[in-house]
Amino acid sequence: MCLHTPPCPTADRPDREAARVVAAHPEQGWSLLCNGALRFDDGGELLPDGRVIAPHRPLTATA
């Protein structure tokens, strides 16, 4: 699906979130990545094969 050089990671790879955004809908809280995954603002994802990735956020350092 990705036509970029170098190609974006596929939706089944752990680094799938590094793929480029091809359609952003911040008012609805989601973005479509070029690998076919939907990324939601809460950190959750919907993969092209229908799998759901639970919302997750990166851990932040505490002062």
Side-chain angles (χ1 to χ4, degrees), residues 10-59:
T10 60
D12 59 345
R13 290 189 30 188
D15 60 346
R16 66 184 147 264
E17 292 180 15
R20 292 187 188 184
V21 173
V22 294
H25 293 277
E27 71 282 358
Q28 296 176 355
W30 61 273
S31 297
L32 174 64
L33 304 179
C34 71
N35 58 12
L38 286 173
R39 180 175 58 200
F40 297 96
D41 288 350
D42 66 358
E45 298 173 64
L46 180 61
L47 303 184
D49 63 4
R51 286 184 291 154
V52 175
I53 306 298
H56 58 281
R57 296 190 183 266
L59 297 176

